[in-house]
Amino acid sequence: MPIRRQFDQHGDSKIVSLRPEGRPVVEFWYEFASTYSYLSAMRIQTLAKDSNVEIVWRPFLLGPIFKKQGWDTSPFNLHPAKGRYMWQDMARQCERYGLPFTMPTPFPQHSLLAARIAYFGRQEPWIGAFTRAVYVAEFGQGLDISDEGLMADLLLETGAPVKQALDGSRSSETKIGLRASVAEAEKRGIFGAPSFVLQNGDLYWGDDRMEIALEMATHL
């Protein structure tokens, strides 16, 4: 953490933090079709509160980034052994965290609608609850998150203004903004989800790096 020395009227020195007022910030970049983003989304708000860290919710899409690498689906589908391990690991991790787990069909899910809704509501008080609800529906119950009726139900359950959120998700501003977020993710070196970006630009990738990212944010 940046520091400076100040001297009082008696000439004694003391350490003064140069941290700007307010809590440290971590950007949480997540893709609704991402398995490990489910684990992070369900825990990050509680862990951030315990660490006195502010979370910035950054929903985005990995599909365009994967396509530039020549992938037309998830790397867990392209590499069967890796995929088998991931599903086994997800079952273990969900049991460890007490989370419901069901492998959705198809995988990956079509996440555009959910991402647009989340992008529209990214600064709203319901964003955390909505994000968690989508993940539970998808990976806890195996439901189709491309279903607008399901999204309307989840918005209602989480206290969001349903019509406003759905209308907002269809707006040109939201569509352009979400595409810009994908471009920003690429520019910042994000290649997978979940990813965590600190105020100094440091990038941490993967659910198993979330606690480290939150800890390091408090030392800037």
Side-chain angles (χ1 to χ4, degrees):
M1 179 186 302
I3 61 173
R4 72 175 179 219
R5 288 188 178 274
Q6 277 188 351
F7 294 86
D8 62 19
Q9 60 181 344
H10 302 293
D12 296 322
S13 66
K14 61 181 179 179
I15 299 297
V16 178
S17 170
L18 293 184
R19 181 194 298 283
E21 289 188 11
R23 296 180 295 166
V25 174
V26 170
E27 295 182 18
F28 172 38
W29 290 76
Y30 60 100
E31 151 74 74
F32 279 113
S34 162
T35 51
Y36 287 104
S37 290
Y38 168 44
L39 302 179
S40 294
M42 301 305 292
R43 302 183 299 124
I44 192 169
Q45 208 156 17
T46 298
L47 292 175
K49 183 178 180 181
D50 291 343
S51 301
N52 197 33
V53 172
E54 180 181 350
I55 296 301
V56 176
W57 300 84
R58 299 300 306 266
F60 76 119
L61 298 169
L62 274 174
I65 294 175
F66 285 169
K67 284 182 179 179
K68 289 187 177 181
Q69 300 180 58
W71 303 344
D72 59 0
T73 185
S74 165
F76 293 121
N77 290 341
L78 295 172
H79 305 283
K82 187 175 184 179
R84 287 191 296 271
Y85 172 82
M86 181 273 291
W87 292 119
Q88 292 171 356
D89 189 50
M90 281 294 297
R92 288 193 298 254
Q93 293 296 86
C94 286
E95 182 177 3
R96 176 188 176 197
Y97 295 132
L99 299 174
F101 177 64
T102 299
M103 191 171 101
T105 301
F107 175 80
Q109 290 264 321
H110 188 59
S111 59
L112 179 60
L113 174 59
R116 284 177 174 171
I117 295 172
Y119 179 85
F120 171 77
R122 66 196 183 282
Q123 295 179 328
E124 299 297 327
W126 47 265
I127 182 59
F130 173 74
T131 295
R132 290 188 293 272
V134 173
Y135 278 118
V136 170
E138 179 182 15
F139 293 112
Q141 301 170 292
L143 300 179
D144 179 5
I145 63 170
S146 68
D147 184 333
E148 186 171 304
L150 174 62
M151 291 298 102
D153 289 343
L154 297 181
L155 286 165
L156 184 63
E157 289 174 12
T158 54
V162 178
K163 186 177 187 304
Q164 181 184 3
L166 290 177
D167 287 347
S169 72
R170 303 184 191 103
S171 70
S172 58
E173 290 83 2
T174 292
K175 294 175 181 178
I176 293 170
L178 184 58
R179 287 195 293 269
S181 286
V182 174
E184 181 185 352
E186 290 183 284
K187 184 176 180 180
R188 297 173 75 172
I190 294 173
F191 54 87
S195 288
F196 311 92
V197 180
L198 276 53
Q199 287 171 288
N200 65 353
D202 282 355
L203 170 66
Y204 293 82
W205 169 60
D207 175 67
D208 58 349
R209 294 297 187 268
M210 180 170 65
E211 285 90 346
I212 297 173
L214 292 173
E215 178 185 353
M216 295 306 297
T218 66
H219 297 307
L220 295 178

